[in-house]
Amino acid sequence: MFVDSHCHLDRLDLSVRNNDLQLVMDAAAAKQVSRMLCVAIELQQLPEMLQTVKQFDNVFASAGVHPLHVAEGMPEIDDLIAYAADPRVVALGETGLDYYYQQDTIAQQQESFIRHLKASTATRLPVIVHTRDAREDTLSLLRQYADSDVGGVLHCFTENWQMAREAMDLNYMISFSGIITFRNAAELREVVRQVPMENLLIETDSPYLAPVPYRGKPNEPQYVVEVAQCVADIKGLRIEEVAEITSHNFERMFNKVVATG
């Protein structure tokens, strides 16, 4: 059974699914995708997202503010802690740093990231990290503020082996998306080869970044199977092994999932 460790169900364009999210879930179930983590981008939309998540027993949520949305509202640590008390919220984020798209909010991004990391220490929930063109600052803030007993995930990883290795030393797992199936992602596939299976997760980041052969189309959780197959091909494993190991990794990192049932 597969786990999509990072998706945005509330961002899907359901017009292609007769405006019925259940059809997305049915398609995922048909591919043996048994669990999903629906990741927050804005706190203002989190209550509505949680309503969506709670329609399904196998979907969990995070609470946080994406670095590209900090200008719309900075999270307070107390608010993050309050949301973390919800039984279905199993992680904080996504947070982190993105210097590729926004240079004018760097200070806000860093402060928001620090607040998520402090809330993680207080709640014992792992942090989902987005990082782009901010390698050194991301690692620096993790070293200063992350609780290595709690850890987290560098999601949709597109960086190099050195960053992956340093993040793993801080108890952060490395999550790969459909990008690893792209023709121009040879260097990233080499990072996949080097990351130990016990430190690896798979995700779709849907509705973005659909894997080959669906590239250019809306992404859905069902396509995490294509990511798993690519990992299996790189590692010389059976896809069933990738499913089993990454599902176990998901439960180990997001251990509130097991406690919630």
Side-chain angles (χ1 to χ4, degrees), residues 6-22:
H6 191 114
C7 61
H8 303 281
L9 296 178
D10 57 322
R11 303 270 166 163
L12 295 174
D13 178 6
L14 295 177
S15 63
V16 297
R17 287 289 193 180
N18 199 30
N19 293 315
D20 189 352
L21 183 57
Q22 184 62 56

Side-chain angles (χ1 to χ4, degrees), residues 175-227:
S175 182
F176 295 101
S177 70
I179 292 175
I180 65 172
T181 71
F182 295 178
R183 184 177 60 183
N184 63 350
E187 291 183 9
L188 185 58
R189 285 188 286 274
E190 179 59 23
V191 178
V192 175
R193 189 189 67 78
Q194 295 180 85
V195 171
M197 279 304 301
E198 62 265 26
N199 299 105
L200 191 150
L201 291 170
I202 54 176
E203 65 172 90
T204 60
D205 202 16
S206 58
Y208 318 108
L209 303 172
V212 173
Y214 306 102
R215 190 173 183 187
K217 299 179 180 179
N219 202 0
E220 291 188 3
Q222 64 167 314
Y223 299 144
V224 76
V225 177
E226 276 66 33
V227 181

